[in-house]
Amino acid sequence: WGSADLHAVDFINDPHGHGWHLDRRLFDRRLRDASRAAGAEVAEGSAVRDTARTPDGGWTLALRGGTGPAGTRSGGERAVRCRWVIDATGRAAAIAVRCGARRRVGDRLTALYVPLEADPLDTDRRSLVESDEDGWWYTAPQPSGGRLVAYFTDADLPAASHTARHFRRRMTATRHVSRWAHRDGPPPTSPAAPRRAAAHTAHLDTVYGDGWTAAGDAAVAFDPLSSQGVLTALYTGLSAGLAVDTRLGRASSGTDSALAAYADKVAAARSAYLRGHRVIHTQESRWTDRPFWARRLTDLPDSPYRPQEVPSTS
C-alpha cells in the first residue's frame, strides 16, 4: 500500500491486543444460539413482506417462510406483533427506508471474492492487503480451512467484471497476492466466477423514527478496509437495544433523549471512520490519475464532493 514493498504490522505493538480471523458463519450461528438462550424467538430463512402500524402505536409485520415457533418450518405467512422495530437488514435498510429514512451512499465499492481450497503448505496466518491501479486485494486464511481472496473496486469500472477468467488474470498480475494465494503452482483454474458483495460506505440520514431504530449496516456501513464492520455492528446493536429499552420504559413521557444519544454515537463513529478513510487513501499516490483513486482523493475537506442519494429500490 503506497509502494510495491510489503509493510508488516504486528499486533504485539497494538495496545488493544491481537486481531482475529473470523469464521462468520460460525460466529453468526453462535449469536443466534445466544439469542435463543436469552429467550428470543429466532425465525431463520424468513423475510419481512409487509409492515403496518397498529392503533396502539405498535407494529404488525408479515413474515414469509423460514422457521416458526419451536423450530417448525413454514412456507406460508405469519404475523408478528411488537412495540418497536429494530432494522438490522444491512445496507438495504429496508424497514427504515419504508418509514421515510434516506440512504446516503458515498461510493460504489464492491467486493469480488473466491474461496480457495486448503493447501497444507500454506501455513501463513497473516492477512494481506495489496493495492493496484483500480482497487485493492485482500487475502487471509480462513479459520475453518482454506483461504479467501477478494478484490475491491467500484462497481461501474471495467475492473469489476466478475468472470472467472478476468478475476484470475488480474490476480495473476499482482505482485504479492498471486504468491500468497497459491504458492506452489498457478492460480486456481476453477471455472467458477467470483461472488459479489456490496462494500460501499453508506449511512441513513436518520437512524430512528416513530417506532423504529436502525442498527448495524442499516444505520452506518463502512469500507471493509477499515476492519470495523463487525465491531461497529456489535456496537450499534448493543447501543440501539439499550436506547430502545430506555425509550420503551419512558413511553408515557414520550421522550426520545435515549434515541437521540444513540444517533449521536452513530454520527461520532461515522466521523471517526471518515477521517481514517481519507488518511489511508491519501497514502496511496501511485495511481491518482485512475478513476478509483481519484474518486477517493476528492473526498477531502476542501472538495466539492457530496455523497449521493440512492433510491430505496437500489
Side-chain angles (χ1 to χ4, degrees):
W1 192 274
S3 77
D5 299 325
L6 283 175
H7 301 275
V9 178
D10 198 316
F11 277 105
I12 198 171
N13 298 318
D14 193 323
H16 301 292
H18 62 79
W20 295 88
H21 287 140
L22 189 66
D23 185 329
R24 272 302 296 272
R25 290 185 178 181
L26 176 61
F27 182 70
D28 291 349
R29 186 171 74 244
R30 287 180 174 174
L31 285 177
R32 290 192 294 270
D33 291 343
S35 298
R36 290 189 183 94
E41 178 189 330
V42 180
E44 298 185 53
S46 60
V48 177
R49 294 303 184 189
D50 192 22
T51 59
R53 299 305 299 271
T54 57
D56 61 358
W59 293 84
T60 298
L61 289 80
L63 300 185
R64 179 180 294 275
T67 57
T72 58
R73 297 294 300 180
S74 173
E77 194 171 279
R78 64 191 182 96
V80 174
R81 293 177 176 81
C82 57
R83 295 173 62 192
W84 202 275
V85 172
I86 295 182
D87 184 348
T89 60
R91 283 176 167 84
I95 295 175
V97 168
R98 291 182 187 179
C99 294
R102 294 184 177 182
R103 294 172 60 234
R104 307 289 187 179
V105 177
D107 55 59
R108 302 176 178 87
L109 191 67
T110 189
L112 305 171
Y113 64 97
V114 294
L116 302 183
E117 295 182 359
D119 181 349
L121 298 178
D122 182 2
T123 59
D124 200 315
R125 301 291 90 191
R126 294 174 293 181
S127 302
L128 171 68
V129 171
E130 178 178 355
S131 54
D132 72 11
E133 65 270 22
D134 296 313
W136 54 277
W137 292 84
Y138 168 82
T139 183
Q142 297 299 281
S144 55
R147 175 174 286 273
L148 181 73
V149 178
Y151 183 57
F152 295 84
T153 187
D154 286 339
D156 63 324
L157 298 180
S161 171
H162 63 289
T163 65
R165 181 178 181 181
H166 180 84
F167 188 88
R168 288 198 305 272
R169 180 177 62 81
R170 292 196 69 100
M171 185 172 71
T172 302
T174 62
R175 182 185 181 95
H176 301 288
V177 171
S178 58
R179 297 203 310 265
W180 284 37
H182 208 75
R183 294 188 173 192
D184 297 283
T189 57
S190 169
R195 302 172 184 173
R196 185 190 294 269
H200 56 268
T201 298
H203 72 282
L204 289 177
D205 62 349
T206 178
V207 295
Y208 73 93
D210 183 19
W212 65 270
T213 308
D217 282 356
V220 59
F222 294 159
D223 184 326
L225 188 62
S226 69
S227 295
Q228 294 179 11
V230 173
L231 174 63
T232 303
L234 293 173
Y235 172 70
T236 58
L238 289 167
S239 300
L242 291 171
V244 171
D245 181 63
T246 300
R247 172 63 178 82
L248 292 177
R250 299 175 181 175
S252 59
S253 64
T255 179
D256 283 340
S257 58
L259 295 171
Y262 166 67
D264 290 341
K265 290 182 179 180
V266 174
R270 177 174 170 268
S271 295
Y273 156 78
L274 289 176
R275 288 194 296 271
H277 189 266
R278 295 186 186 104
V279 169
I280 194 66
H281 282 90
T282 56
Q283 291 174 0
E284 180 51 89
S285 58
R286 288 177 290 171
W287 300 291
T288 56
D289 60 328
R290 301 287 291 186
F292 180 88
W293 297 101
R295 291 169 178 176
R296 271 72 190 167
L297 294 177
T298 59
D299 188 15
L300 296 171
D302 58 351
S303 168
Y305 169 85
R306 291 294 183 273
Q308 57 184 313
E309 181 177 324
V310 175
S312 61
T313 55
S314 64

